[in-house]
Amino acid sequence: MAAAAPAAAAASSEAPAASATAEPEAGDQDSREVRVLQSLRGKICEAKNLLPYLGPHKMRDCFCTINLDQEEVYRTQVVEKSLSPFFSEEFYFEIPRTFQYLSFYVYDKNVLQRDLRIGKVAIKKEDLCNHSGKETWFSLQPVDSNSEVQGKVHLELKLNELITENGTVCQQLVVQYLLQPRDNGNKSSKTDDLGSLRLNICYTEDYVLPSEYYGPLKTLLLKSPDVQPISASAAYILSEICRDKNDAVLPLVRLLLHHDKLVPFATAVAELDLKDTQDANTIFRGNSLATRCLDEMMKIVGGHYLKVTLKPILDEICDSSKSCEIDPIKLKEGDNVENNKENLRYYVDKLFNTIVKSSMSCPTVMCDIFYSLRQMATQRFPNDPHVQYSAVSSFVFLRFFAVAVVSPHTFHLRPHHPDAQTIRTLTLISKTIQTLGSWGSLSKSKSSFKETFMCEFFKMFQEEGYIIAVKKFLDEISSTETKESSGTSEPVHLKEGEMYKRAQGRTRIGKKNFKKRWFCLTSRELTYHKQPGKDAIYTIPVKNILAVEKLEESSFNKKNMFQVIHTEKPLYVQANNCVEANEWIDVLCRVSRCNQNRLSFYHPSVYLNGNWLCCQETGENTLGCKPCTAGVPADIQIDIDEDRETERIYSLFTLSLLKLQKMEEACGTIAVYQGPQKEPDDYSNFVIEDSVTTFKTIQQIKSIIEKLDEPHEKYRKKRSSSAKYGSKENPIVGKAS
């Protein structure tokens, strides 16, 4: 881990020099690789008016899945006993392959039998842009078995000779194509009877050009923290013109973080926030550019911090069956409210004490920003002695720890969604922790709970010791003193989950079959176990990993396979879907990138029956026949593809050109008339503090975007002309069911 830091620092320091490279001609990218990268972000909000059961028990236990074609890549938690389940689950993942349809299935959970598909929403890939960035209610469609067929197609081709009416002989190609459904179909219900699903979907497809194309735009964006006022910077203007600020925040934060420019930028936009804050009690409680930037930053750099701090306790809570319900209305028969209250207090105390002792693990970049927030808040409200603490606690307790506790799966602290009882326990703990953080930092005499039972429970924590502990913790994480991270001495937990591995077959009579195993990766080793929590069956030290690559499907006639090539026999693993396989390959590559003796070539298939299936070489130790995947950044905590992020920003500017034009016109109006002479709607939605500087920045943005348009348009034309009908780029798409 320590060896990775210099490499990351070197990459960061060299990047600005690359931006000064002479701009290439528009056609130069033809000879170089253009990467097409897809991602999906959004939220599964809720369903309503689902078809009830017949009989007295009408309610259903529902969950929702996301599918690329028929491959499931995401699953929500189960919402029990509801015909209008509220999921409220956000998702984000890279899409590693081509697809035709993005589908959302609503299921009824069945413990004894197969889960029942209630209905689906299927959207063609080319139609996703019509729904981007907005919440939409979709009517659930019936699931027709004929449309759900997947598998291989066996074609029989015949060449027949025919005699036409005028006596000439011609040849005719006959194709027999027959793919039967798994069953004879089902009786579909009326569409209106199935209910509807509310979704927020944002699909992006970026054509990432070679690095030198992005030099001017990258340079302009990285100058943003130094622009006075900050509202006239390119980064701030992007957030102003985007329909959804979240679209702009993610690539901006990643790019600025990669070049050590995030702290000054976040400080500047937070200062702008403070100018509009009139009450110290509401400091940083809104959903502004500043708060969104800090939220995203904490997700990116705080993953390790959350794992070393929260994961052991969350594992204990999720794996135990202790009841912590203290709401009299929700108590189950036989529950003892006093026992439950003690259970809940035990967990809250244990979690709270771990958090307030964790300052040494807090990432430096978080500490630097917290220090700036604390100083600015004190200057803004000099007569409030507690605001220096609430400015920090509003992020670290309310927006970081409390959110991670209530949703551990989202932060990769747990591999699966907790059950309903555990979610309720985590919710009660989260409420108490965030109130302790704010109560201790504001030194309030009363809690902010609306529920009577929570007010009574919180009285157990109204002691001076909690206030002292919170203030000490906030002091420590908002300090600029250099500190050693405690995370370097302990292995970092990176990923875990259930997959299938091919038996190593060390004995001659051993079967080389596939077995389900629980995999766990830390910064030190990859292990697999029969079950979570059990002793490891097999361990591969990370330092022994020589390469991690995809495995050809033909090797074992299985999809989503990859291989971990190490000093012993390769480990062949099958993930549950393409997204999961991609994530495992990515994290394994990152953690082993700096290993010595890494391979330059590998075999994309397996060695069976005396030869490699890929190249037919007979020697088992023969040099690989395919170059290994290019290296990736060594820093496992901040893995940022700056070209991809800059391309995303270019796309956002392109999509928002109309608003950019309106902002430019508003600057001209303000500069000429020294005030709003048009209707306020023309520019009242924009923050324009300095019209002249803002106008100049917009001119620079437009010029850079126009130059970047040329190679993009050239590539699009080339791609569309070369994509044959029936290829991956231009597939044959049937009618939607």
Side-chain angles (χ1 to χ4, degrees), residues 216-401:
L217 180 56
K218 200 184 302 179
T219 300
L220 184 63
L221 290 163
L222 294 177
K223 285 181 180 177
S224 294
D226 303 319
V227 175
Q228 295 290 337
I230 192 65
S231 59
S233 68
Y236 195 94
I237 290 171
L238 177 64
S239 71
E240 283 286 277
I241 63 175
C242 276
R243 179 171 59 182
D244 184 348
K245 272 188 171 60
N246 286 329
D247 291 338
V249 165
L250 180 58
L252 278 177
V253 168
R254 286 176 172 270
L255 186 65
L256 294 171
L257 194 59
H258 186 69
H259 289 276
D260 297 325
K261 296 284 188 177
L262 182 63
V263 174
F265 179 76
T267 301
V269 294
E271 190 171 13
L272 196 60
D273 248 21
L274 282 172
K275 289 181 182 179
D276 297 327
T277 305
Q278 303 303 319
D279 184 356
N281 291 322
T282 63
I283 191 168
F284 299 127
R285 293 298 177 99
N287 201 15
S288 64
L289 176 61
T291 57
R292 293 182 190 189
C293 282
L294 265 69
D295 285 347
E296 199 57 52
M297 176 274 295
M298 291 190 295
K299 287 180 184 177
I300 296 171
V301 305
H304 171 215
Y305 182 28
L306 287 175
K307 283 173 181 173
V308 298
T309 306
L310 299 184
K311 184 169 171 49
I313 304 173
L314 291 176
D315 286 342
E316 179 185 344
I317 295 169
C318 294
D319 294 337
S320 71
S321 56
K322 291 181 180 179
S323 176
C324 296
E325 184 56 73
I326 58 175
D327 184 352
I329 299 175
K330 295 185 177 182
L331 287 174
K332 296 179 181 179
E333 187 177 350
D335 273 357
N336 185 310
V337 70
E338 292 303 319
N339 288 344
N340 291 359
K341 192 178 292 185
E342 285 302 315
N343 291 339
L344 185 59
R345 177 170 188 177
Y346 166 78
Y347 287 140
V348 169
D349 267 331
K350 191 167 185 178
L351 201 61
F352 175 81
N353 289 327
T354 303
I355 290 173
V356 296
K357 293 176 182 176
S358 69
S359 61
M360 293 300 290
S361 298
C362 187
T364 303
V365 67
M366 287 175 62
C367 295
D368 290 343
I369 290 183
F370 292 157
Y371 173 79
S372 297
L373 296 179
R374 183 174 178 176
Q375 300 303 310
M376 288 188 297
T378 303
Q379 292 172 8
R380 178 69 178 86
F381 299 100
N383 298 323
D384 190 325
H386 307 296
V387 72
Q388 60 174 316
Y389 295 112
S390 57
V392 179
S393 68
S394 60
F395 285 103
V396 75
F397 277 102
L398 185 64
R399 294 173 175 268
F400 187 60
F401 284 123

Side-chain angles (χ1 to χ4, degrees), residues 465-616:
Y466 289 99
I467 297 177
I468 294 172
V470 168
K471 287 185 175 181
K472 182 175 181 293
F473 169 67
L474 296 175
D475 280 334
E476 291 169 348
I477 64 169
S478 57
S479 168
T480 57
E481 294 178 6
T482 305
K483 58 182 174 56
E484 289 290 330
S485 171
S486 63
T488 56
S489 59
E490 293 296 324
V492 182
H493 181 278
L494 299 174
K495 190 172 178 61
E496 63 180 327
E498 196 172 70
M499 295 188 290
Y500 291 85
K501 67 96 187 174
R502 182 180 183 247
Q504 297 289 74
R506 286 183 171 78
T507 59
R508 294 193 177 187
I509 60 173
K511 292 184 179 180
K512 296 185 177 180
N513 57 350
F514 284 82
K515 295 181 179 179
K516 186 185 293 185
R517 291 290 182 258
W518 186 263
F519 284 78
C520 182
L521 175 66
T522 71
S523 54
R524 289 184 185 173
E525 60 189 21
L526 172 68
T527 57
Y528 61 76
H529 318 245
K530 282 191 175 180
Q531 292 177 352
K534 299 293 184 181
D535 292 339
I537 299 176
Y538 191 68
T539 299
I540 302 175
V542 163
K543 63 181 181 180
N544 291 352
I545 295 177
L546 307 178
V548 183
E549 300 287 347
K550 291 181 179 179
L551 193 68
E552 289 181 352
E553 183 180 337
S554 58
S555 300
F556 298 107
N557 199 24
K558 292 179 181 292
K559 293 183 177 181
N560 308 319
M561 288 205 67
F562 63 92
Q563 53 182 319
V564 181
I565 306 169
H566 58 112
T567 49
E568 296 183 28
K569 290 189 176 182
L571 176 65
Y572 299 122
V573 184
Q574 183 187 27
N576 294 315
N577 57 65
C578 62
V579 171
E580 188 178 316
N582 199 56
E583 290 176 351
W584 273 103
I585 293 171
D586 179 63
V587 71
L588 282 163
C589 283
R590 281 188 276 129
V591 76
S592 62
R593 181 182 182 271
C594 294
N595 288 354
Q596 294 181 349
N597 303 320
R598 278 186 61 91
L599 299 179
S600 300
F601 292 85
Y602 77 104
H603 290 285
S605 192
V606 295
Y607 186 80
L608 283 177
N609 301 322
N611 65 275
W612 290 98
L613 298 184
C614 43
C615 57
Q616 304 304 312

Side-chain angles (χ1 to χ4, degrees), residues 176-223:
Q176 297 181 350
Y177 171 20
L178 188 62
L179 188 63
Q180 294 286 0
R182 290 175 179 150
D183 52 43
N184 295 323
N186 58 359
K187 296 179 181 179
S188 60
S189 307
K190 292 182 180 179
T191 303
D192 294 339
D193 294 339
L194 297 179
S196 53
L197 185 64
R198 182 162 62 94
L199 302 169
N200 189 325
I201 307 166
C202 184
Y203 167 77
T204 59
E205 184 176 87
D206 295 320
Y207 302 139
V208 183
L209 305 175
S211 296
E212 53 265 35
Y213 281 89
Y214 300 110
L217 180 56
K218 200 184 302 179
T219 300
L220 184 63
L221 290 163
L222 294 177
K223 285 181 180 177

